[in-house]
Amino acid sequence: MRLGTGIRRSAVAGAIAGALLLTGCSGEMGSKADRASNGGPRAWAGGSGGAGGSGAPATGVEEGTDEGEQKFAPPDYLSTFALDVDTASYGYAVRSLDEGRRPEPSTVRPEEFVNSFRQEYDRPEGNGFSVSLDGARVSGKDDPDEAGPWSLVRVGLATRLAEDSGERPPAALTFVVDVSGSMAEPGRLDLVKDSLSLLTGELRDDDSIALVTFSGEAETRLTMTRVGDSRERIRRAVADLEPSDSTNLEAGITTGYAEAVEGRREGATNRVVLLSDALANTGETQADAILERIATARERHGITLFGVGIGSEYGDALMERLADKGDGSTTYISDKEEARKVFVDQLPAQVELRARDAKAQVAFDRRTVERFRLIGYENRAVADEDFRNDRVDGGEIGPGHTVTALYAVQLRPGAEGEIAKATVRWLDPATRAPRERSGSVRTDAVDSALWSEAKPRLQVTAVAAYFAEELRGGSVPGAPALDTLAERAGALAESTEDPSVERLAEAIRRADRLRD
């Protein structure tokens, strides 16, 4: 049975809006969407500043809660960013190429390409992260570049896998579904309905679901309901969804978060899941006004957002900003196989958190490093001095996630010793106590040739990063031409027996054929 938004939910929505008027934006709280930048997308850090020390070198792995002495390099040799597990940019790029068009460069985010692929990192025993660093040489020892060889340095972070489904906390999920006219296109609302029906069968009896739809206005179809004996009722509510008219995303977000606040469960993982093509055209269509509603619910009630993008025309930038402000992540689905992966294989197991407000800082040693650049993460940048400021927002990371940061690094001629130390800082999801873990990498660990000696998964990472940079008009040292890159990806697909790598290879082939 459909339920109107009602007086009760209207009151909650009004309370949220009223709170915004009273509190405004905190000057001390940062968001992933509003961080200070450490440089443009193609800015290089480092320089020929001599062999100045980088502080006492650190080795091995460390973990602790107190800040201790700052032992990092000078600011120009630091790279600081919030962790991110978004993959929507890669999924949408593949969809665009499948349809015979290159993605707009502004929608290409290299970190989301890189993080779309499985890694082989060790897993930690408890909450938080393992830290792995390695790399490979992309220009030979006899390279004519007199400044020194180029290498790729990979910083890999991983969380512990999900427990058996009976071990996790219950989930309270509010689905906010776009039923505007544009969702009538095949592969949009029909895919959403299939996805939610699949998920309903995977959730536990003690999980809860609410369902809100929006077109010109928002409507609550199902208040927060325990799954238990209500699976068929939930499926009927999903089956009744039909496309309507315009896209009032603001109304959907406001009503959805009001429903999530009202149905919030103590001890549960409370999350809003937005399924939309994010093409707002009525109501408030500017991101900032919509973002405020999310920020308040996040800060006061700990409700996070998971954005699922759908459709050949897709508001990528808006969806990403919404998820960032909501301490969540985004993905993109274009077919039933991807929907099953997201809603059956991933979401039920990952409703809990392993880390809150997670940030990483990589300190490069100026005695060995001439210059470096982080590939991607431009809109995840955090001011170096805010790395240990826990009032500055970071990323929320769930079980079984890996986060990869890839750097292009030019070493000083003949350099030997430590290249970099990477530290990840997070808040324990239960106690909110700060934790840190670190790892380091030396020059001998990046001396192997990328394509002939490096680990296969490092090669896949390099292919994904090179591909993303080419699509957005950038360049990275050692990048082969697209036809060669496609050959590398095809060979890796065979050696890894990984269908996702074969899909990457095909996407590169399509991009090569579409070049002007």
Side-chain angles (χ1 to χ4, degrees), residues 57-64 71 421 423 436-439:
T59 59
V61 174
E62 305 171 348
E63 184 171 3
K71 296 181 179 180
K421 174 185 175 182
T423 301
E436 292 188 9
R437 188 177 291 271
S438 299

Side-chain angles (χ1 to χ4, degrees), residues 401-447:
H401 280 133
T402 60
V403 179
T404 299
L406 194 66
Y407 289 86
V409 178
Q410 187 175 42
L411 298 177
R412 296 185 185 277
E416 294 183 359
E418 186 174 274
I419 295 174
K421 174 185 175 182
T423 301
V424 57
R425 182 180 177 87
W426 72 95
L427 302 183
D428 184 274
T431 66
R432 294 189 178 268
R435 296 284 187 270
E436 292 188 9
R437 188 177 291 271
S438 299
S440 61
V441 64
R442 299 177 61 84
T443 51
D444 56 0
V446 302
D447 197 41

Side-chain angles (χ1 to χ4, degrees), residues 42 53 79 113 190 196 212 214 322 370 391 404 409 413 496 504:
R42 296 171 184 81
S79 171
F113 280 54
D190 56 338
L196 294 184
V212 171
F214 66 93
L322 290 169
E370 177 72 23
R391 295 175 298 178
T404 299
V409 178
T496 61
L504 171 64

Side-chain angles (χ1 to χ4, degrees), residues 37 39-43 373-376 378 469 472:
S37 172
R42 296 171 184 81
R373 176 163 73 85
L374 174 60
I375 302 172
E378 288 87 17
E469 279 293 330
R472 71 173 183 168

Side-chain angles (χ1 to χ4, degrees), residues 84-394:
D84 178 40
V85 293
D86 290 357
T87 59
S89 176
Y90 174 70
Y92 185 51
V94 171
R95 168 72 178 264
S96 298
L97 291 165
D98 286 347
E99 296 178 344
R101 54 192 171 85
R102 280 191 160 220
E104 288 294 325
S106 63
T107 69
V108 176
R109 293 180 290 279
E111 69 275 14
E112 298 186 24
F113 280 54
V114 166
N115 284 325
S116 294
F117 296 92
R118 180 168 57 85
Q119 299 289 355
E120 76 288 8
Y121 308 138
D122 292 335
R123 302 283 180 175
E125 293 183 359
N127 285 332
F129 300 88
S130 63
V131 182
S132 306
L133 285 86
D134 62 3
R137 180 169 29 87
V138 297
S139 65
K141 293 181 179 179
D142 298 326
D143 191 276
D145 188 343
E146 297 180 356
W150 285 96
S151 296
L152 294 179
V153 171
R154 179 175 62 163
V155 178
L157 310 173
T159 58
R160 180 168 51 94
L161 295 171
E163 303 287 352
D164 178 80
S165 60
E167 298 296 323
R168 67 167 173 82
L173 306 175
T174 301
F175 290 94
V176 179
V177 179
D178 185 347
V179 293
S180 62
S182 61
M183 293 292 286
E185 175 189 304
R188 296 195 186 194
L189 187 57
D190 56 338
L191 188 57
V192 169
K193 293 166 71 170
D194 288 343
S195 301
L196 294 184
S197 182
L198 284 170
L199 178 66
T200 301
E202 296 295 321
L203 291 174
R204 296 186 330 204
D205 287 349
D206 61 343
D207 293 330
S208 301
I209 283 181
L211 180 62
V212 171
T213 61
F214 66 93
S215 53
E217 297 179 350
E219 180 180 0
T220 298
R221 305 294 187 99
L222 192 70
T223 56
M224 193 64 73
T225 302
R226 295 290 176 102
V227 173
D229 296 330
S230 301
R231 294 182 198 272
E232 287 308 312
R233 180 186 173 202
I234 295 169
R235 287 193 175 101
R236 285 196 302 271
V238 171
D240 285 343
L241 301 182
E242 295 292 340
S244 183
D245 44 29
S246 54
T247 309
N248 191 336
L249 182 57
E250 177 196 18
I253 290 291
T254 302
T255 303
Y257 267 87
E259 189 64 52
V261 168
E262 188 168 329
R264 182 177 178 273
R265 292 175 56 186
E266 292 291 339
T269 301
N270 295 274
R271 181 166 298 175
V272 169
V273 182
L274 173 63
L275 300 102
S276 175
D277 56 18
L279 299 174
N281 58 20
T282 60
E284 179 56 68
T285 61
Q286 297 302 309
D288 289 345
I290 301 173
L291 296 177
E292 289 302 334
R293 288 147 177 78
I294 295 176
T296 300
R298 174 187 63 81
E299 293 168 10
R300 293 191 174 187
H301 304 288
I303 297 170
T304 58
L305 178 70
F306 180 43
V308 181
I310 295 168
S312 57
E313 297 297 326
Y314 167 54
D316 168 78
L318 177 56
M319 181 69 86
E320 189 204 16
R321 290 196 67 194
L322 290 169
D324 288 347
K325 195 77 170 184
D327 274 349
S329 59
T330 64
T331 192
Y332 180 87
I333 58 175
S334 60
D335 55 38
K336 289 185 178 181
E337 180 181 348
E338 291 175 355
R340 174 172 287 276
K341 179 180 177 182
V342 170
F343 287 96
V344 176
D345 298 338
Q346 296 177 354
L347 187 59
Q350 295 177 355
V351 293
E352 60 178 321
L353 291 177
R354 289 282 185 257
R356 292 184 181 274
D357 287 327
K359 312 184 193 81
Q361 186 167 76
V362 182
F364 288 89
D365 194 324
R366 65 170 58 236
R367 294 169 293 190
T368 58
V369 174
E370 177 72 23
R371 53 182 176 158
F372 64 92
R373 176 163 73 85
L374 174 60
I375 302 172
Y377 289 96
E378 288 87 17
N379 61 355
R380 300 295 190 270
V382 173
D384 294 332
E385 61 272 18
D386 285 334
F387 176 58
R388 290 189 171 90
N389 181 354
D390 296 326
R391 295 175 298 178
V392 173
D393 189 25

